[in-house]
Amino acid sequence: FMSKVREREFLFDVFPPLGKMYLAAASHLVDWTVPSNLTRVGQDIPAGSGFAEVRAINAILGGISSMMVSVICLEGGITSWPALVGGMMSGLDILSTIQSRVMMPDTFMVLLEQIAFFFAMKSWNAAKRKSRATPFLWMVLAGVASGSAVATKWTSYAVVVIISSISFFGIPPFLTHGGMAWPTVLSFYAAAASTYYFLFDLYLSWCNRSGEHDNFTSTPFRASLIGSGAAAHTEPMDPWMKVYEYNKLMWMYSRGIRGDTKSEPSWIDWILNQRTTIYVVEKHEATSRRVTTIVNPAVSLTISASLLTFTLALFLYVRYLRRKGSNYQALRKTLQSGSVYVFAWIGSMLPTLAVFRCGPIYQYLPALFFATLLTAQNLELLTPKLKVAVSIFVILAIAAAFAVWSPWVYFTEISQTHHSRLLAMEGWMQ
C-alpha cells in the first residue's frame, strides 16, 4: 500500500484512505522504499533499509496517545492520580504497544479520536464558562479531527456520535445548561463532513494512475485514471461522484466480510475484554490454533472490575440513593460521565459484533480508549488517600504484568517452558 500510494497508483481497500496516506508519508519522511525481494511473511528485512525508522514514527504517536488519555482526564475534571492510571493503562496495554510498533494505521486513528474528544471537551468547558467565540472554534477543530479519524477507519465513528450527542442534547456533566448553540453544533458536522470529503478527494487526486485495482470501479471512474484507456470511450467521472463510488464500494465489500472464529476473537471474547490474537500456528499443515492472548492481564482485570463497579453503583443509585439529593453529587457526576463512556465503549464494538461476528484484535483499540476513561472516572469515587493508594497499586500491577509478558510484546526468544508459563488461563481464553 505504501509503495503504491507513493507511486500514485490507484488502489482500493475496504478501509478509508487516510491511514494509507499517513503510512506512505511516514515512509517518504525517512526515505524508505519496500525492497523488491520481500515476497513472504517472515523474511529478514535488510539492515539500514529505514524500516525501523518508519516504525519509530508510529511508536512516537503511540506514546503521545497514552499521554493524551491523561490530558483528556485532566480536562474532564479528573484528578492527577486517576488520570495517570488512565494513561498507564493505555500505554502499557500489550495490544496498544504492539499496534504502535508496527506499520498499521490504528494507533494513528485512535490518536485522532483522542484529539477530537479533547477539542470537544475544551469546547464544552468554554460553553460552561459562557464564552462566546471559543466554543465554536474548539468545536470546528473537533470536527476536523473527527472527520480525519473516520477517514482513517470507520471503527472510529463512536467519537462522532458521542461528541454530537453531548453537544446537541447537553448531556451533563459535560454540559450543564442544555445543548450548545445551533451554529456551534452545525459547525462540528460541517467540519467533520468537509474534512472527510477533502481527504478522500485528496487521495483520489493523488492516486490517479491506473493499476491492478481498476476493475473494482465503474468505467466512468476508470476513465479518470491516467493510463487506463477508458477515457477514450467514456467521459471521466466528477470528483464528488468518485468519492461517492469509493465509499459505496467500501460499504459493499465490508458487508460481505465475515470473521473466522478459529483465528479471531469471538463476540464473547470482546464482551469479557479478552482480545485474543489473529495469529495462528500451523500444525502439520492440517490444523491450526490461536497462539495465545495478547492482552495485559492487569489492564484487562482492571477494566472488567471497573465495568462491574460502574454497573453496581448505577444499580444502587437508581434503586436506593437517587432521592437523597445533594448527598451523592460526586456519585451522580461519575455515573453521568460513566454512562457516556460505557455507551461509547459498547458502541465502538458494535460494528464488529453485529457485522463481522468476530474480528481482528486491533478493532478493539477505540473501545479501549473509552474503557480507560471509565476506569479513571470511577477512581474519583474514592476518598483522597484511598484514591492515591489504589492508583499506585493499579499502576504497579500494570507495569509488573507488562514486564512479565514483555517477551510477547517485543518478540524476544524464550524457551518453550517459559512460553508455557505465560499461558495464564489458556484453556479459558482459547
Side-chain angles (χ1 to χ4, degrees):
F1 282 169
M2 288 187 296
S3 296
K4 290 183 182 297
V5 172
R6 289 178 61 178
E7 294 167 2
R8 305 191 64 171
E9 179 182 325
F10 172 76
L11 59 91
F12 171 74
D13 185 34
V14 293
F15 297 119
L18 182 56
K20 293 181 278 292
M21 290 193 289
Y22 152 67
L23 293 174
S27 66
H28 177 73
L29 186 65
V30 298
D31 195 27
W32 181 67
T33 303
V34 180
S36 58
N37 61 341
L38 291 181
T39 58
R40 59 181 176 81
V41 176
Q43 278 186 262
D44 291 332
I45 297 175
S49 64
F51 180 73
E53 286 80 356
V54 178
R55 295 178 64 180
I57 294 174
N58 220 31
I60 292 171
L61 295 188
I64 296 173
S65 176
S66 62
M67 290 188 287
M68 277 298 299
V69 174
S70 296
V71 171
I72 291 170
C73 289
L74 293 172
E75 184 66 29
I78 296 174
T79 52
S80 56
W81 277 103
L84 181 59
V85 169
M88 293 291 288
M89 289 175 66
S90 175
L92 294 183
D93 179 71
I94 294 175
L95 171 60
S96 297
T97 306
I98 291 176
Q99 285 299 120
S100 67
R101 301 303 189 272
V102 297
M103 291 193 302
M104 293 182 68
D106 300 273
T107 298
F108 178 63
M109 175 199 69
V110 172
L111 179 59
L112 288 172
E113 277 192 290
Q114 293 167 341
I115 292 172
F117 200 69
F118 172 74
F119 285 153
M121 274 194 166
K122 296 289 285 187
S123 179
W124 300 328
N125 289 338
K128 286 191 288 187
R129 295 193 301 268
K130 298 187 177 179
S131 173
R132 292 187 177 180
T134 310
F136 182 88
L137 296 175
W138 284 120
M139 194 54 67
V140 169
L141 292 174
V144 171
S146 296
S148 301
V150 180
T152 305
K153 279 196 172 181
W154 282 352
T155 47
S156 61
Y157 82 99
V159 74
V160 178
V161 175
I162 292 300
I163 292 174
S164 58
S165 298
I166 294 173
S167 301
F168 183 80
F169 295 106
I171 300 173
F174 302 98
L175 288 171
T176 53
H177 301 290
M180 304 185 77
W182 274 99
T184 303
V185 177
L186 291 177
S187 72
F188 171 76
Y189 293 120
S194 300
T195 302
Y196 183 82
Y197 173 84
F198 168 76
L199 291 170
F200 268 87
D201 185 54
L202 177 65
Y203 170 73
L204 294 174
S205 299
W206 175 260
C207 296
N208 61 351
R209 295 176 180 172
S210 177
E212 60 186 55
H213 287 195
D214 290 9
N215 291 333
F216 284 101
T217 62
S218 64
T219 301
F221 191 108
R222 292 198 297 272
S224 63
L225 299 176
I226 298 173
S228 69
H233 309 285
T234 310
E235 283 292 322
M237 184 177 282
D238 292 334
W240 70 272
M241 281 298 298
K242 289 174 64 179
V243 172
Y244 170 76
E245 179 172 324
Y246 196 97
N247 277 267
K248 182 180 178 182
L249 288 170
M250 286 194 304
W251 169 252
M252 289 173 54
Y253 282 95
S254 295
R255 248 185 351 177
I257 297 175
R258 287 293 181 271
D260 178 9
T261 54
K262 293 181 180 179
S263 60
E264 298 173 350
S266 66
W267 66 271
I268 193 64
D269 291 320
W270 292 63
I271 297 298
L272 294 176
N273 192 42
Q274 309 295 340
R275 292 95 62 195
T276 45
T277 69
I278 57 174
Y279 307 107
V280 294
V281 173
E282 300 295 334
K283 289 186 173 181
H284 309 298
E285 300 180 357
T287 59
S288 62
R289 70 176 182 90
R290 294 176 188 167
V291 177
T292 184
T293 186
I294 293 187
V295 57
N296 185 320
V299 172
S300 177
L301 293 174
T302 299
I303 292 176
S304 298
S306 180
L307 291 169
L308 182 62
T309 300
F310 172 80
T311 304
L312 180 61
L314 182 63
F315 171 78
L316 292 175
Y317 180 80
V318 172
R319 183 67 178 86
Y320 300 107
L321 306 176
R322 185 171 50 178
R323 294 185 179 89
K324 302 278 183 168
S326 59
N327 294 334
Y328 296 96
Q329 286 301 314
L331 175 60
R332 180 188 178 96
K333 179 181 178 181
T334 295
L335 292 177
Q336 288 172 333
S337 301
S339 297
V340 172
Y341 297 146
V342 169
F343 177 79
W345 176 73
I346 296 174
S348 296
M349 296 189 293
L350 277 180
T352 298
L353 298 180
V355 178
F356 299 109
R357 308 294 190 269
C358 57
I361 49 174
Y362 52 75
Q363 293 190 9
Y364 186 84
L365 285 175
L368 178 64
F369 163 52
F370 291 107
T372 57
L373 295 182
L374 174 67
T375 302
Q377 186 67 63
N378 283 347
L379 289 173
E380 289 296 318
L381 293 174
L382 304 176
T383 61
K385 290 184 178 180
L386 189 58
K387 186 192 305 182
V388 173
V390 172
S391 297
I392 292 174
F393 173 78
V394 172
I395 290 172
L396 291 176
I398 291 171
F402 185 87
V404 170
W405 273 268
S406 61
W408 290 350
V409 179
Y410 300 104
F411 300 99
T412 53
E413 291 188 18
I414 56 177
S415 66
Q416 182 61 46
T417 303
H418 188 184
H419 178 76
S420 299
R421 284 201 302 267
L422 297 179
L423 291 170
M425 300 181 288
E426 179 181 9
W428 177 46
M429 291 186 180
Q430 297 187 55

